[in-house]
Amino acid sequence: MTKKITAIAIFDIDGVVRDVGNSYRRAIADTVEYFTNTAYRPTSLDIDQLKSEGIWNNDWEASQELIYRYFATQGQSREQVQLDYDKIVTFFQARYRGTDPDNWTGYICDEPLLLKPSYLDELTQADIAWGFFSGATRGSATYVLEKRLGLKSPVLISMEDAPSKPDPTGLFATVSQLENGLEETAVVIYVGDTVADMYTVSKAKELKPHRTWIGVGILPPHVQETPARSHAYTKTLITAGASIVFSNVEQLNSRQIEQLAGE
């Protein structure tokens, strides 16, 4: 990174850097189906609806919540169901990562990438500092950033490092690492694909109003199957606080960032 920073761009990972429609989301559906004894498998729209509430950034907790809500429709209270959260996590991880902790063979291995390293190089050349703040585990995030994209120890705040979004603690920590003691003046852009991501920016504005925070929404691939769904999802992100919404992260090039930062 250069010492001169014209802006800071921080990226969520799932739905922004990688397509998780057939990995994380598939693992959610598998998990809910298993723990409801095959009675209910949530659709992509069901999962989107839950996440639109803005507090279900953790997919293990989202899976558990969908299971609870299914049983509620069957007249059973949460106390009656008595789910074992650790068993939910273990099942989910077996689907997502695979059963061998040293040799991942699960859904994570087949996630399409949504940006190229050259895109990040272009930001660096424009004196735009960049890093990642994600609700994914450090292992999962590092897998895509270092093994798949070939990045060398990028700035990353992951699930283990900060409270779940929309708490902005992790966003602040990412910014702090990127600034590395420099004066806190650069505009910060957080790029995400969920309501929780946009709420995180709103919380950051409330807690640190002395600087400019901008939320940029990205349409994850699974919502781009029909124009109507893309439009509805765009509206959801804008309502949640996004200043602008793109269909792919690479559309947010250095020129766009400089334009947003100058507004």
Side-chain angles (χ1 to χ4, degrees):
M1 298 292 173
T2 61
K3 288 187 177 181
K4 175 191 171 189
I5 296 175
T6 59
I8 294 174
I10 298 174
F11 301 92
D12 180 33
I13 294 176
D14 302 334
V16 176
V17 176
R18 61 181 171 192
D19 179 0
V20 297
N22 205 34
S23 57
Y24 266 130
R25 285 170 168 268
R26 185 178 174 189
I28 290 174
D30 287 355
T31 303
V32 175
E33 184 175 50
Y34 179 80
F35 284 93
T36 59
N37 301 311
T38 73
Y40 170 53
R41 183 178 181 86
T43 65
S44 179
L45 280 169
D46 291 338
I47 296 169
D48 278 347
Q49 188 169 6
L50 180 75
K51 286 186 172 282
S52 72
E53 295 174 14
I55 56 173
W56 303 107
N57 193 62
N58 181 316
D59 287 338
W60 303 332
E61 293 177 356
S63 299
Q64 177 176 252
E65 183 64 17
L66 285 168
I67 297 164
Y68 272 134
R69 291 188 187 188
Y70 164 74
F71 282 114
T73 68
Q74 306 304 303
Q76 295 187 52
S77 68
R78 295 179 184 233
E79 291 73 26
Q80 288 174 302
V81 178
Q82 291 189 329
L83 295 174
D84 186 325
Y85 182 69
D86 290 338
K87 287 184 178 178
I88 289 173
V89 172
T90 298
F91 183 90
F92 184 105
Q93 292 297 80
R95 287 291 197 272
Y96 181 64
R97 290 186 178 183
T99 54
D100 184 347
D102 301 316
N103 180 32
W104 293 1
T105 56
Y107 301 154
I108 189 174
C109 300
D110 301 316
E111 293 170 332
L113 298 177
L114 302 174
L115 63 75
K116 303 181 190 70
S118 57
Y119 164 72
L120 298 170
D121 291 339
E122 191 252 339
L123 298 187
T124 300
Q125 290 162 14
D127 296 323
I128 296 166
W130 50 267
F132 303 91
F133 167 42
S134 170
T137 63
R138 178 158 288 272
S140 172
T142 300
Y143 181 89
V144 67
L145 297 179
E146 298 189 8
K147 187 168 184 177
R148 298 285 307 282
L149 281 171
L151 305 180
K152 306 298 182 187
S153 302
V155 169
L156 166 66
I157 297 296
S158 60
M159 176 194 283
E160 295 90 339
D161 307 316
S164 289
K165 294 177 272 188
D167 188 310
T169 301
L171 183 60
F172 296 153
T174 314
V175 170
S176 180
Q177 285 191 34
L178 289 169
E179 288 182 321
N180 195 24
L182 295 176
E183 189 178 357
E184 298 180 7
T185 57
V187 171
V188 179
I189 295 173
Y190 187 46
V191 189
D193 70 316
T194 67
V195 167
D197 294 329
M198 299 306 109
Y199 283 176
T200 301
V201 176
S202 298
K203 296 278 188 184
K205 290 177 181 177
E206 291 174 15
L207 294 174
K208 296 197 175 186
H210 66 280
R211 75 186 308 165
T212 302
W213 304 88
I214 299 172
V216 171
I218 303 295
L219 295 178
H222 75 271
V223 306
Q224 297 187 47
E225 294 167 1
T226 67
R229 195 166 175 194
S230 292
H231 177 75
Y233 202 91
T234 298
K235 189 175 179 182
T236 296
L237 290 177
I238 289 174
T239 301
S243 296
I244 192 169
V245 177
F246 295 106
S247 59
N248 177 265
V249 64
E250 291 193 352
Q251 293 174 310
L252 182 68
N253 55 32
S254 59
R255 192 179 307 165
Q256 282 281 354
I257 289 173
E258 288 162 5
Q259 186 175 329
L260 282 169
E263 289 178 352

